[in-house]
Amino acid sequence: MTREQYILATQQNNLPRTENAQLYPVGIYGWRKRCLYFFVLLLLVTMIVNLAMTIWILKVMNFTVDSPLVLQSDRNVTVNARNHMGQLTGQLTIGADAVEAQCKRFEVRASEDGRVLFSADEDEITIGAEKLKVTGTEGAVFGHSVETPHIRAEPSQDLRLESPTRSLIMEAPRGVQVSAAAGDFKATCRKELHLQSTEGEIFLNAETIRLGNLPTGSFSSSSPSSSSSRQTVYELCVCPNGKLYLSPAGVGSTCQSSSNICLWS
């Protein structure tokens, strides 16, 4: 036996032996353990309820990844915009009868290039589309003046500019041109039609110019043969007030002989 082994054996024999040593348990027992289990169970139930409520809200509000957002209401749906002071700056209301927008400026832009298709503010309304198409049977009604570079009817449809109770005025600083490439141009009115040129002339260029329903003046000829034959040629006469009338043509002018029609106008 070595010295180290002898010393170790001697120390073990000299240690006091304790009998009936008390053992203390380590952990949570009793009512504390039951409270801990209760809180863990309550937390688990709360998490399950929150998860179920979240799934229910996503299902009811139609929150999906691929579908658009849908807001539904039994009445109106209103979206408000406010500034940093809480003041209302814009409002969009969608109701059963109308869609109302209250703002300083309303714009509709194209999805491709972002250009303005429609804009409205207090001063003007701008339509930026290439074509404005009105499909109503009564056309478009304007309360005041209209400024446009081009007015065209649909194919195989008539173009009508009508003012039922007032006058119709077309103005342009460099002239107004009305053309019908493949049909007739007709202008009718109830009372009088005035063609006026203040600094130029009125030029009628056509193969045939007809003035219908002109009054015919009376003309008596001394030749009996001429009175018995049917009159087929007439002379166009003008009264001092500008009224036109027809006079039976003769060897010379017969306007003076039948000028009594000017007294009836």
Side-chain angles (χ1 to χ4, degrees):
M1 179 180 294
T2 60
R3 181 178 180 183
E4 289 79 3
Q5 293 177 350
Y6 176 77
I7 294 174
L8 182 59
T10 305
Q11 291 178 354
Q12 290 179 355
N13 293 330
N14 294 331
L15 290 175
R17 297 180 178 179
T18 57
E19 297 180 356
N20 300 328
Q22 296 181 358
L23 299 177
Y24 296 96
V26 179
I28 301 175
Y29 298 93
W31 64 272
R32 293 184 180 87
K33 184 177 182 180
R34 290 191 293 269
C35 290
L36 180 61
Y37 286 163
F38 174 76
F39 285 120
V40 172
L41 180 62
L42 181 61
L43 180 61
L44 180 61
V45 172
T46 304
M47 291 177 59
I48 294 175
V49 172
N50 288 337
L51 180 61
M53 291 294 294
T54 303
I55 296 175
W56 180 76
I57 292 175
L58 293 177
K59 183 65 176 177
V60 171
M61 300 300 295
N62 293 329
F63 289 113
T64 56
V65 178
D66 300 328
S67 300
L69 176 63
V70 178
L71 300 178
Q72 295 182 354
S73 175
D74 295 337
R75 296 184 179 179
N76 297 337
V77 176
T78 303
V79 180
N80 295 331
R82 300 181 182 274
N83 55 12
H84 64 281
M85 301 180 61
Q87 298 176 351
L88 184 64
T89 58
Q91 185 179 73
L92 178 64
T93 302
I94 303 176
D97 299 330
V99 178
E100 298 180 359
Q102 298 181 5
C103 54
K104 292 183 178 179
R105 182 177 178 84
F106 180 77
E107 292 184 356
V108 177
R109 294 181 176 270
S111 58
E112 297 179 356
D113 52 1
R115 61 190 180 93
V116 179
L117 299 178
F118 177 84
S119 65
D121 55 18
E122 296 181 355
D123 298 328
E124 64 178 4
I125 296 177
T126 304
I127 299 176
E130 296 180 357
K131 181 187 297 184
L132 174 61
K133 186 175 182 180
V134 180
T135 59
T137 56
E138 298 297 330
V141 179
F142 301 95
H144 298 283
S145 61
V146 179
E147 181 179 354
T148 177
H150 191 193
I151 299 177
R152 183 181 64 184
E154 287 293 324
S156 68
Q157 298 291 332
D158 297 334
L159 176 63
R160 296 180 58 186
L161 301 178
E162 182 180 355
S163 178
T165 58
R166 301 296 296 273
S167 59
L168 178 62
I169 300 175
M170 293 186 293
E171 295 180 352
R174 300 184 63 180
V176 177
Q177 180 179 359
V178 181
S179 62
D184 299 334
F185 172 74
K186 184 179 181 181
T188 59
C189 62
R190 186 174 182 179
K191 291 184 178 181
E192 296 180 355
L193 177 63
H194 295 273
L195 298 178
Q196 181 180 1
S197 177
T198 57
E199 297 181 0
E201 62 181 1
I202 298 176
F203 181 66
L204 301 178
N205 183 11
E207 182 179 354
T208 302
I209 297 177
R210 297 180 180 180
L211 301 176
N213 298 326
L214 290 179
T216 303
S218 60
F219 174 72
S220 60
S221 177
S222 60
S223 175
S225 60
S226 61
S227 60
S228 60
S229 62
R230 183 178 180 182
Q231 183 71 32
T232 58
V233 181
Y234 292 89
E235 181 182 1
L236 180 63
C237 304
V238 183
C239 295
N241 59 358
K243 184 178 180 179
L244 300 178
Y245 66 95
L246 297 178
S247 178
V251 179
S253 176
T254 59
C255 291
Q256 297 296 330
S257 302
S258 58
S259 62
N260 54 351
I261 196 172
C262 297
L263 302 177
W264 303 342
S265 58

